[in-house]
Amino acid sequence: MSAPITEGRPEVLLLDYGAGNVRSAAKALERAGMTVRVSSDPADVPGARALVVPGQGHFRQVMDAFDTSGFRQPVLDAARDGTPILGICVGMQMLLEGSEEAPGVQGLGLIPGTVLRFQGDAQRKVPQMGWNSLDKVGDSPLLNDLACPAYAYFVHSYYVPLTVDVDAGAITEYGVPFWAAFSHGNLHATQFHPEKSGAVGLAILERFRRNVLEN
């Protein structure tokens, strides 16, 4: 399905490969001033202005769905050609090489590193479910001029550790500090759900539009 193109609104291609909350993501992106084209066809990736990769569920299930849909190589080619990519939730984790959730399953490998599992204790249950703070590190286009600490909504058991080398982002702590959002070249991502994070989530998507797509 496709949203009608609105003059002056940058278009993003939202990948529908069967393992992402496409409808909620599309609504949030549209509220942030973007025209959203939802596609399950990998042939739509070349030439797209930007790609949005949602994801929810088990890392193995998500990567299997992504690969079965035929998106891996076109997305890798687009990323290496400089196309802006926004990963959301497990879509963030997919950008790395792999995850402890599914040993041996290859992520996209666009950023070196492995996604780790939280270690629960009496104070912190796994998964983390609820609001948590964001603190900026560096100058990510997603967070430019955003007053921090800001609060976003998380639902996840696995995280991107700070040992993963990215240009800039936001750090959150849940027993251990981790990347809640990052920017690395043309790659951008949030572990939290912007569509569930109220005004802060909308502000971050607006910054993706303004600072990445319209810059």
Side-chain angles (χ1 to χ4, degrees):
M1 64 178 180
S2 298
I5 296 177
T6 304
E7 187 175 354
R9 293 165 62 100
E11 183 180 273
V12 297
L13 189 70
L14 178 60
L15 305 188
D16 181 9
Y17 58 94
N21 192 349
V22 171
R23 179 169 296 186
S24 294
K27 288 182 178 179
L29 291 162
E30 288 167 353
R31 286 184 61 209
M34 288 166 268
T35 293
V36 180
R37 183 156 65 105
V38 179
S39 177
S40 57
D41 186 354
D44 289 335
V45 171
R49 175 67 185 86
L51 306 177
V52 179
V53 184
Q56 60 182 21
H58 192 282
F59 190 83
R60 181 184 301 277
Q61 167 239 332
V62 169
M63 291 310 309
D64 285 350
F66 195 79
D67 288 342
T68 299
S69 299
F71 275 112
R72 179 182 285 266
Q73 195 58 51
V75 169
L76 289 176
D77 291 342
R80 290 163 183 162
D81 286 343
T83 300
I85 295 177
L86 176 64
I88 298 175
C89 195
V90 181
M92 177 189 198
Q93 299 175 10
M94 291 166 64
L95 299 176
L96 276 69
E97 295 170 308
S99 172
E100 285 187 341
E101 188 172 22
V105 174
Q106 290 186 341
L108 294 176
L110 292 166
I111 296 176
T114 300
V115 180
L116 305 181
R117 191 180 194 280
F118 286 123
Q119 300 300 312
D121 56 35
Q123 285 74 42
R124 298 178 184 87
K125 295 182 178 180
V126 178
Q128 176 186 198
M129 297 181 64
W131 296 85
N132 207 337
S133 62
L134 309 176
D135 289 293
K136 289 186 288 187
V137 174
D139 191 21
S140 164
L142 301 182
L143 303 159
N144 186 256
D145 294 329
L146 184 72
C148 284
Y151 288 83
Y153 189 81
F154 294 82
V155 181
H156 64 128
S157 300
Y158 294 80
Y159 65 94
V160 176
L162 297 189
T163 52
V164 171
D165 187 18
V166 294
D167 294 338
I171 292 175
T172 298
E173 184 162 340
Y174 193 70
V176 293
F178 64 93
W179 289 115
F182 64 63
S183 294
H184 190 68
N186 58 309
L187 306 176
H188 308 274
T190 68
Q191 177 61 66
F192 55 88
H193 291 267
E195 72 277 12
K196 297 180 180 179
S197 297
V200 168
L202 181 61
I204 287 171
L205 293 180
E206 287 174 339
R207 282 161 173 75
F208 177 70
R209 170 182 57 78
R210 185 170 66 244
N211 298 333
V212 177
L213 304 185
E214 297 177 344
N215 192 359

